[in-house]
Amino acid sequence: MKQNYGANASAGQVFLLGIDAGGTHTDAVLLVQDQDASEGRAASPRERAQADPAARLPRVRLLAAAKTRTKHDDLPASVREVLHALARVLAGDAAARALGGTALLGRVSRVTLGATLAVNALVQDKADTVALALSAGPGLDPRRFAMGRHVYVVPGGLDHRGTEVSPLTVSGLEAQAARWSAEGITAVACVGKFSPRNPAHEQRMAQALNRESAASAMNSPNAVSNAAPNVAPTIATGASFSITLGHKLSGRLNFPRRIATAYFNAAVQRLHSGFLDAVESALAAAGVRAAVRLLKADGGAVPLSLSRREPVQSVLSGPAASVMGVLALCPAAREGCALLLDMGGTTTDMALAVDGSPVVDREGMILQGRRTLVRALASVSIGVGGDSLVSIDGHGDGASVRVGPLRQGPAMAFGGTCPTLLDALNTLHSAPQAPGAGTGAAMGDASASPAAQEPQGWLADELAGNAAEDMAGELAGNVGASLSGMEALARRCGLEPRVLARKAVDNALDQIRRAAGELAEAVNARPIYTLAGLRALQEARPSRAWLVGGPAACVGPHLAAALDLPVDCPPHTAVANAVGAALTLPTDAVEVYADTGSGILRAPALDLTESVRKGFSLDALGERARELLLQRLEQAGAEGAAVEITEAESFATLDDNGFGSRDMRVVCQAVPGLAGLVSD
């Protein structure tokens, strides 16, 4: 960050801005890529895979970074504050001033954002109340798969080929919509069984809902015409309802998961859209005019225009940011199988990567116990972080000590009022000091290494064997405040401060070890797929671990023994998530169906229906899927992406006249990955 990049910025330099609004901190980084570093971009993703991927990726440098506390009740304010902090860094750093200082924000060509707003809203029960309009036809009652208290089943249904087997009767839905409106419900999800094969029933349900709200829409000052070009087609907006159509979110035919996906999408759509509006305003105020992308749960990024339509895709993007950050910061993490850990203030997120590509949970992301059809990284999150409370059950040597999952503000080392895991680590790593005495560095700053401090008092007597290992980690914040808090807690439970600290750290390590083992077992219990190519692989057994996050330098030395793996912290660990966001490539996918018997091709998410001839082939369907995905990406401002076919199926069937036909399905996706690697 202190290198001199020259008096003037080259015209070929590209500036990338990454922002991560995490559970504890909001981080921002500005990266610079030189013109001569982009020579490898001409290679195709397949060529990069065949060659050394790390060698082919462009090199970028971290020019500036900033970190602020996240305001959970006002995430847009957190983004504004971190942009102001980044501007101050750019103004105060000589190398950054030589390139243009704060004016560099105006030269940013791409912004990628990671945020916890949607998942926090769901966890804290602050998302919108959702009503479900369901249609299933013959078979199991769809109420069996319903969510929430507001559910209406619309008579009518389709078969597995999209043919109507019973007409849709929407008169009852219109009456129900009036009741929902009177109850203050503003979000409705419409899901029909087999609607990906024929969206007509879902579209008719949306029309019925909008008819009910049409009169009030005309009189509402906030009403938006459904014909307005800036309205996302996934959400049909009236004065009373925003309507999510299930077929827009996935072309897969799992009815229960389609219901869950649409339900969660509707629940967070209003909050998500408002947040993006505020972020765009904050970026504009900071002088940033670049296109903005949002990180997704699968480790890719999506332009805001697409994210507004499908906010559910970004609900669990936190682990994705840390995973992509590790892979961007440390090329060695791209070799073999690695366990990637991100410890923040509140949680520790874990994921696996094989040969530089994250392992994907193809079954779909789980939210509040329900499987969805949202592709996500195979990850696990536990309530253990630097700010996790230390709690005690019992007294004396038999006392049980636990870390987390509760968090009540920051560690005492950073102004908190209750001892946390970070305070326990400080107690292990340093000699006792008077309350308010000298401070350690901010998390991750090696200048505070305890190697420069002489042990005193009772600690000097214990520096032998395992006690010496306890001194291996770094210090963070006001060490005196940590010691004071831990000593007071130790007196109340009848333990020595060092014993209490050791018990707390051991409990945190044990929780991480067990969660990492459960993740590996869960991943290996079924075929393994990675984000790159979605192809089945061998078992994922990590041979080393990589740790990022604020407390990484403090807890890292203890993790190796707990995991029985080498544990390393890449450079710039405290802002790894923002780096990962900045360098993540855009991803998107489309599913396309063709039935040669009926002569119809459908792309459900695009509301596209075309005619095909009897001899239409699977290869031809694949080419059409490629064209449609490229068009969708280009319209969203993500032109130039490489795409590939990840799934292709063809089944022989008999058409309505008894003649042979083909029922085909193709999934095409933008090739995921990183835009570059960070080098100093």
Side-chain angles (χ1 to χ4, degrees), residues 1 14-21 26-32 60-68 79 82-83 85-87 89-90 104-105 108-114 283 288 321 325 328-329 571-584 678:
M1 291 176 61
V14 176
F15 295 91
L16 308 174
L17 176 62
I19 302 172
D20 179 68
T26 296
D27 306 331
V29 297
L30 183 64
L31 305 174
V32 58
V60 299
R61 290 173 289 173
L62 180 61
L63 184 61
K67 180 185 291 285
T68 64
V79 174
V82 81
L83 287 171
L86 188 66
V89 173
L90 291 171
L104 291 177
L105 292 175
V108 169
S109 62
R110 186 175 73 243
V111 182
T112 309
L113 172 71
L283 289 167
V288 179
L329 288 166
H572 314 300
T573 177
V575 291
N577 287 21
V579 170
L583 291 175
T584 297
V678 175

Side-chain angles (χ1 to χ4, degrees), residues 244-560:
T244 293
L245 304 181
H247 72 273
K248 291 281 196 173
L249 303 174
S250 176
R252 293 176 64 183
L253 292 178
N254 189 307
F255 191 38
R257 296 184 190 182
R258 292 184 58 242
I259 291 173
T261 305
Y263 180 93
F264 290 122
N265 195 82
V268 301
Q269 193 276 331
R270 180 186 58 82
L271 290 172
H272 181 83
S273 184
F275 170 67
L276 295 184
D277 289 342
V279 168
E280 287 186 305
S281 296
L283 289 167
V288 179
R289 301 291 186 270
V292 183
R293 297 173 181 167
L294 195 69
L295 205 63
K296 298 197 316 179
D298 68 354
V302 62
L304 287 199
S305 59
L306 294 180
S307 181
R308 289 180 187 275
R309 306 175 192 178
E310 303 177 9
V312 69
Q313 296 283 349
S314 298
V315 168
L316 288 183
S317 61
S322 56
V323 168
M324 304 310 284
V326 171
L327 297 178
L329 288 166
C330 192
R334 302 169 61 84
E335 301 172 359
C337 181
L339 173 66
L340 311 178
L341 305 99
D342 175 16
M343 176 178 281
T346 307
T347 63
T348 297
D349 299 328
M350 292 170 243
L352 295 171
V354 176
D355 296 333
S357 184
V359 175
V360 173
D361 183 355
R362 290 198 69 198
E363 297 302 311
M365 174 178 67
I366 298 177
L367 289 174
Q368 298 183 343
R370 287 289 297 261
R371 279 277 185 188
T372 69
L373 291 176
V374 176
R375 192 176 68 192
L377 303 188
S379 64
V380 65
S381 180
I382 61 173
V384 173
D387 295 342
S388 295
L389 287 178
V390 175
S391 58
I392 303 172
D393 182 16
H395 191 272
D397 293 340
S400 174
V401 180
R402 181 173 177 83
V403 171
L406 296 178
R407 176 184 182 272
Q408 294 179 354
M412 295 185 73
F414 288 95
T417 58
C418 300
T420 72
L421 173 60
L422 183 65
D423 297 313
L425 288 164
N426 274 346
T427 301
L428 284 184
H429 299 163
S430 70
Q433 303 176 32
T439 62
M443 294 183 189
D445 187 344
S447 65
S449 172
Q453 303 184 26
E454 291 297 327
Q456 302 173 12
W458 54 266
L459 183 60
D461 298 331
E462 294 186 19
L463 280 183
N466 292 336
E469 295 178 5
D470 287 343
M471 295 290 291
E474 294 187 1
L475 299 171
N478 187 331
V479 178
S482 292
L483 291 170
S484 177
M486 290 293 292
E487 287 170 358
L489 183 60
R491 283 195 299 271
R492 291 198 297 272
C493 68
L495 290 173
E496 290 291 332
R498 188 178 187 82
V499 173
L500 172 60
R502 183 73 261 175
K503 283 177 173 286
V505 172
D506 284 347
N507 176 261
L509 295 173
D510 186 59
Q511 291 186 61
I512 293 172
R513 177 188 58 78
R514 285 189 283 108
E518 290 169 2
L519 171 63
E521 292 305 318
V523 165
N524 290 314
R526 53 187 182 270
I528 300 169
Y529 296 84
T530 62
L531 185 60
L534 296 182
R535 286 180 288 274
L537 297 171
Q538 73 282 1
E539 278 196 333
R541 299 293 178 187
S543 58
R544 65 188 308 172
W546 298 87
L547 174 67
V548 299
C554 301
V555 76
H558 302 278
L559 265 180

Side-chain angles (χ1 to χ4, degrees), residues 55-79:
R56 302 289 301 185
L57 286 173
R59 264 37 180 188
V60 299
R61 290 173 289 173
L62 180 61
L63 184 61
K67 180 185 291 285
T68 64
R69 282 276 173 182
T70 295
K71 296 181 177 179
H72 290 280
D73 57 346
D74 192 357
L75 278 187
S78 301
V79 174

Side-chain angles (χ1 to χ4, degrees), residues 21 78 87-88 93 155 240-241 252 283 410 435 438 487 543 568 596 644:
S78 301
R88 290 194 296 271
D93 183 81
S240 300
F241 305 119
R252 293 176 64 183
L283 289 167
E487 287 170 358
S543 58
D568 294 291
T596 60
E644 67 179 7

